[in-house]
Amino acid sequence: MSSGSTSSGPTSSGSTSSGSTSSGPVTTTAVLDAYGWDADWADTFASYAERGLVPGRVLRVDRGRCDLVTPEGVVHADTEYVVPRDPMKVICTGDWAAVDPAGADPRYVQAYLPRRTAFVRSTSSKRSEGQILAANVDHAIIAVSLAAELDLGRIERFLALAWESGAQPLVVLTKADLVPDPVGLSYLVSDVETAAPGVQVLPVSAHDGDGTEVLRAVVADGTSVLLGQSGAGKSTLANALMGEDVMDVRAVRDMDGKGRHTTTTRNLFALPGGGVLIDTPGLRGVGLYDAEGGVGQVFAEIAALAEDCRFHDCAHTVEPGCAVLAALEDGALHQRRLDSYRKLLRENERLAARTDARLRADMRKVWKQRGAEGRAAMEAKRGRVR
């Protein structure tokens, strides 16, 4: 889901810049090319250049300030004007911003450019708010450790958010060296592929280097964000892609296989082989946020089956002529997939209903109707058994 535009404040007075014309950013921002700057960004920035502002990409945000890479190098700026009450409009790592030129004191980020994509999850609060984890991302790399048992439901949850963001997902199975049996590894890859239709699944060992060249080729094109739980090996992957230790790495606890948070902020790096990487802290909770389209894409086979249901509003529970239930009965669809699909849809609906009174009322009617249908179906079934 692309997130919206800008929040701005007064420009610092008395400041000048060599990029004060619309042609300035195009001719003076060669340093930004490695961070994803292109002609479209330059065109979007033109109005800010006319105000004497400087373009920059946000490397990290921390406590009211952020680091940005600009034509003059990395600068530090205050984010007071781009931290509104709406958390969806707060400046984020990966944003392209308009910042005061050199000489302004204090130096402020005045606005950020409209986002092309944004990876958003729901916050843990009860206010149904979204939290942007990374902006302007082309690839969402979901790191899953093979040191622990696969949680396909969690992978599907990450994938739903990734598809909804507008980025192309990629599942990386880290620590593949812990599964030395190639047949066993192939089964694990196959299991994940069933949960990730249309998504590349890549086993990688940062320890042995297996799979890292393929991953480098993927991330060399555009901006990629690393996502996953603590202990999934994201920081190790980041170091492997950078060719140096840019992120702290700690051992996973032996007692439960879980890692400790080594990354505490979202950090953006230009990769030596091309492309941009955003490393994120480990995510304990991954709540859906307005991700109905993403859920549909993760469970594309269910959506395809639903087109053959007798009723266009089929809930795939007890309805006659339900193609989804027929596929479940004949083994073409696995029960785990259907259960996961239902769970994610219900969660997404509940989140939307928190902020929509009419939707809440409609959902209550649907639940009552489905409850009545379910009871009727059970009574009919008991009657047949007798």
Side-chain angles (χ1 to χ4, degrees), residues 70-296:
T70 71
E72 65 196 73
V74 176
V75 303
H76 311 283
D78 195 296
T79 61
E80 179 180 350
Y81 302 135
V82 282
V83 186
R85 291 186 178 181
D86 184 351
M88 291 288 287
K89 297 180 180 179
V90 171
I91 195 164
C92 178
T93 302
D95 273 322
W96 284 100
V99 64
D100 287 335
D105 186 20
R107 198 167 187 177
Y108 289 96
V109 176
Q110 297 292 336
Y112 64 81
L113 305 187
R115 293 162 177 151
R116 293 178 181 174
T117 62
F119 193 98
V120 181
R121 68 167 178 176
S122 66
T123 63
S124 57
S125 72
K126 296 181 180 180
R127 293 179 294 179
S128 305
E129 294 176 337
Q131 178 191 23
I132 297 178
L133 299 181
N136 301 312
V137 171
D138 301 294
H139 307 284
I141 301 173
I142 302 163
V144 179
S145 173
L146 290 178
E149 184 177 354
L150 288 176
D151 185 343
L152 298 180
R154 176 172 284 269
I155 294 172
E156 288 162 344
R157 179 179 294 270
F158 269 107
L159 288 169
L161 292 175
W163 282 123
E164 192 69 33
S165 76
Q168 170 67 46
L170 166 67
V171 178
V172 172
L173 302 180
T174 65
K175 308 179 185 182
D177 53 287
L178 299 180
V179 188
D181 176 21
V183 175
L185 181 60
S186 69
Y187 285 145
L188 292 172
V189 171
S190 178
D191 286 344
V192 176
E193 286 176 338
T194 62
V199 176
Q200 182 179 5
V201 179
L202 178 64
V204 170
S205 169
H207 180 267
D208 296 338
D210 294 340
T212 54
E213 287 305 313
V214 177
L215 183 58
R216 283 194 184 94
V218 172
V219 300
D221 180 22
T223 297
S224 303
V225 60
L226 270 173
L227 303 153
Q229 291 180 284
S230 295
K234 299 187 304 300
S235 294
T236 302
L237 271 182
N239 290 339
L241 293 171
M242 286 294 294
E244 59 179 311
D245 292 342
V246 294
M247 302 302 298
D248 183 26
V249 177
R250 299 179 189 174
V252 172
R253 296 191 304 237
D254 291 333
M255 68 181 78
D256 56 11
K258 295 181 179 179
R260 293 168 288 180
H261 290 287
T262 56
T263 303
T264 56
T265 59
R266 295 181 285 278
N267 300 279
L268 183 148
F269 306 97
L271 296 170
V276 174
L277 182 69
I278 299 175
D279 191 21
T280 66
L283 300 175
R284 290 191 180 94
V286 194
L288 297 186
Y289 185 83
D290 193 16
E292 183 177 355
V295 173

